[in-house]
Amino acid sequence: MNQRALSLDALRGYAIITMILSGQIILTHLPPWMAHAQVPPGKGFDPSLFGISWVDLVFPFFLFAMGAAFPFSLGKKIEKGVNKLSLCKDALIRGAQLVFFAIFFQHMKPSVISSPQSIQSCLLSLAAFALMFPMFMNLSIPALKNTKYDSAGSWLIKIVAFIIGFVAMNNIEYTGKSSPNFDPYFSDIILIVLANMAIVGSIIYIYTWENPIHRLAILPFVMAIFLAAGNEGWVKEFFNYSPIPWAYKFYYLKYLFIVIPGSIAGEYLYQWIKQKEQIGRRNNIQAYLVASLSMALIVSNVICLYARLLMLNLALTSILLISLYLVLKMTRNNFSILWKQVFVAGAYCLLLGLVLEAYEGGIRKDYSTYSYYFVCSGLAFFALMFFSVVCDYFQCVKSTKFLVMAGQNPMIAYVATSMLVMPILFITHISDYFSIFNNGAYMGFLRGLILTSLAVMVTMFFTRIKWFWRT
């Protein structure tokens, strides 16, 4: 029996690493396709631009991986008979912790604590980074370890750490943001969206476990609310209502169009892992072709949609999908069964997204369109298939270790650059020499590559010693 689908860790790792990279490269001299399609370098946000770049796939891939993890984190517990209401309560707690994480991270960046940045603000940020370990790890009180009070002791440590963090945020006079005081609205929007998906996506999965059709049936209602909210009536009031607007908005639930398809992919993976008997013989040629065609689908769609070569993209996508379908018919074994399932779901989402491309003017991330949700979901299925070949079939462990280990500890990876790497570089005055990276496109990209590599090494270190942040 397979113990773990490394492909899912690798996909999550790819998403978090490219998320870090896209935020750290200096875009001044780089071509527009290195940035978000609607935010070309030096020109600001322009919603009239259509298309997607590689950067626009980063967040959807991470959301997709989050949904794909539901069968492993929630499905296993349901199989063991854990009460569904108890799981919903856990989802609410997890979401609340992610909301705190989003606010705390945003407030404790050195550049936010003080402007200009100082050694004191860097030390505070490093202390905040250290405080996140008792917040998001299950640490035990030595005297209570291996007793019936062990869990209560772990929660006591967490609560104390959260209180210290909250008190710290309320007693800092910020000079790096518009308001000098603590503000719950000042948070990391990516983490806030993830918190909403952790709650709503988890609850939907809990009550549609083993009923994927019921899960998918929720999406038309979400779409209907978005479409009807533009007109007066109770739907608009429901759409706009929020008891805690700094933590929840119905608007964030648009990403269910990515998370729910991800949960379908996760179920395919989960069933594959549970498969004990090997079926048929392996076919390496088939595996190479599956990986190549999956990657070709991702690359061709990004390039053609960015360049607005829509008919060419449709033709290439059709050819590649037909080719992949024929390749998958070559053999029947455990892997090909999984790949066929992933292929069908991915092809459906991708083609639906391409049909919707003209709606709302064209595909774009901001303001996001329905075409964007389904195209990105489809491409995420094929990215998962690519990593399934590389990580699970060929077991290329050494070459993908950095992806897998980053994917197993994404919370540390996400904050490592801002709260650990950059403060240390500032305190040691190494950052004084970073002005050299402002000269030219290659140097701007090299800066991002160096900082991302340092963040990945930090993450790999904590993963290796099994210090994981979890909510």
Side-chain angles (χ1 to χ4, degrees):
M1 181 177 177
N2 299 293
Q3 296 301 311
R4 190 178 184 96
L6 295 180
S7 51
L8 181 55
D9 291 327
L11 176 61
R12 190 187 300 110
Y14 168 81
I16 196 69
I17 289 172
T18 49
M19 197 181 297
I20 299 168
L21 176 63
S22 63
Q24 296 301 327
I25 54 179
I26 297 176
L27 295 169
T28 307
H29 303 287
L30 288 171
W33 57 265
M34 286 295 292
H36 289 291
Q38 285 73 55
V39 192
K43 296 183 180 179
F45 174 59
D46 185 355
S48 67
L49 295 175
F50 298 100
I52 56 174
S53 69
W54 67 273
V55 184
D56 297 318
L57 296 182
V58 170
F59 188 45
F61 279 14
F62 192 86
L63 286 167
F64 186 89
M66 169 185 263
F70 289 161
F72 298 89
S73 59
L74 298 172
K76 281 184 177 180
K77 293 179 180 178
I78 297 174
E79 285 181 349
K80 293 177 180 178
V82 178
N83 182 271
K84 290 184 177 181
L85 284 177
S86 176
L87 291 176
C88 290
K89 181 194 71 173
D90 292 342
L92 288 169
I93 294 173
R94 182 189 180 200
Q97 289 184 75
L98 275 172
V99 169
F100 185 91
F101 183 52
I103 297 170
F104 188 68
F105 168 53
Q106 195 75 350
H107 277 77
M108 301 308 291
K109 293 178 181 178
S111 57
V112 171
I113 295 173
S114 70
S115 181
Q117 193 168 291
S118 65
I119 291 179
Q120 182 183 15
S121 66
C122 287
L123 291 174
L124 281 172
S125 187
L126 290 171
F129 180 79
L131 185 61
M132 285 181 174
F133 285 90
M135 283 181 183
F136 302 112
M137 286 180 63
N138 291 322
L139 301 178
S140 299
I141 297 175
L144 301 178
K145 195 169 184 179
N146 297 323
T147 70
K148 63 180 180 178
Y149 302 107
D150 195 3
S151 179
S154 296
W155 271 106
L156 178 62
I157 293 174
K158 281 180 178 289
I159 292 170
V160 170
F162 279 117
I163 291 173
I164 293 172
F166 184 75
V167 170
M169 285 190 293
N170 274 277
N171 284 275
I172 293 175
E173 186 174 345
Y174 298 94
T175 59
K177 66 184 186 75
S178 57
S179 170
N181 302 316
F182 165 74
D183 180 7
Y185 288 90
F186 187 71
S187 60
D188 186 287
I189 186 60
I190 290 176
L191 295 173
I192 292 293
V193 171
L194 290 176
N196 281 260
M197 291 300 96
I199 296 173
V200 180
S202 294
I203 293 173
I204 290 173
Y205 182 81
I206 290 166
Y207 285 101
T208 59
W209 176 66
E210 289 193 332
N211 289 290
I213 299 300
H214 295 174
R215 198 178 317 142
L216 292 171
I218 292 171
L219 294 181
F221 284 92
V222 176
M223 180 183 290
I225 291 172
F226 271 92
L227 294 176
N231 301 301
E232 295 299 326
W234 68 268
V235 175
K236 182 176 182 179
E237 293 179 6
F238 175 76
F239 181 86
N240 292 327
Y241 173 74
S242 174
I244 43 174
W246 45 269
Y248 159 79
K249 294 179 182 177
F250 190 91
Y251 178 76
Y252 300 148
L253 302 192
K254 61 186 179 179
Y255 290 109
L256 286 172
F257 288 100
I258 298 172
V259 172
I260 287 180
S263 71
I264 303 296
E267 288 182 333
Y268 295 153
L269 272 178
Y270 186 62
Q271 292 303 317
W272 170 75
I273 285 177
K274 290 172 66 178
Q275 182 68 48
K276 295 182 179 180
E277 296 181 4
Q278 290 297 319
I279 302 172
R281 295 182 178 180
R282 293 194 176 194
N283 186 331
N284 288 353
I285 295 176
Q286 181 196 40
Y288 282 121
L289 289 172
V290 167
S292 300
L293 291 169
S294 297
M295 182 55 64
L297 276 164
I298 298 170
V299 173
S300 64
N301 271 273
V302 171
I303 292 174
C304 291
L305 290 173
Y306 181 84
R308 311 306 295 146
L309 302 172
L310 303 184
M311 291 306 298
L312 175 61
N313 184 57
L314 182 60
L316 285 174
T317 298
S318 300
I319 292 170
L320 290 169
L321 287 176
I322 292 171
S323 301
L324 188 49
Y325 170 77
L326 294 174
V327 167
L328 289 172
K329 290 183 66 177
M330 291 169 56
T331 57
R332 186 177 184 274
N333 54 48
N334 294 66
F335 282 96
S336 65
I337 292 172
L338 169 65
W339 297 337
K340 287 173 186 176
Q341 293 174 316
V342 173
F343 166 81
V344 171
Y348 179 86
C349 289
L350 178 57
L351 290 173
L352 179 59
L354 294 181
V355 171
L356 284 167
E357 210 282 335
Y359 180 59
E360 301 173 283
I363 189 172
R364 68 184 174 204
K365 178 184 181 294
D366 295 311
Y367 300 102
S368 53
T369 63
Y370 289 106
S371 174
Y372 175 72
Y373 307 141
F374 291 113
V375 166
C376 290
S377 292
L379 297 182
F381 273 105
F382 291 111
L384 182 64
M385 192 184 300
F386 172 82
F387 284 120
S388 175
V389 174
V390 174
C391 300
D392 298 327
Y393 183 91
F394 287 116
Q395 298 182 346
C396 301
V397 177
K398 291 184 178 179
S399 59
T400 60
K401 183 178 289 187
F402 73 103
L403 293 174
V404 171
M405 295 181 76
Q408 292 172 350
N409 220 347
M411 292 177 69
I412 289 181
Y414 190 75
V415 306
T417 304
S418 299
M419 299 187 72
L420 181 66
V421 174
M422 291 303 296
I424 291 175
L425 293 178
F426 184 87
I427 292 171
T428 57
H429 297 286
I430 295 175
S431 61
D432 295 346
Y433 301 98
F434 270 39
S435 58
I436 189 175
F437 295 114
N438 296 327
N439 302 316
Y442 292 107
M443 295 302 290
F445 181 77
L446 180 60
R447 175 190 186 274
L449 199 60
I450 291 172
L451 292 176
T452 303
S453 298
L454 292 173
V456 170
M457 286 191 285
V458 168
T459 307
M460 291 178 69
F461 169 76
F462 287 115
T463 302
R464 191 179 299 278
I465 63 174
K466 301 187 183 304
W467 285 20
F468 298 99
W469 288 2
R470 297 284 187 265
T471 55

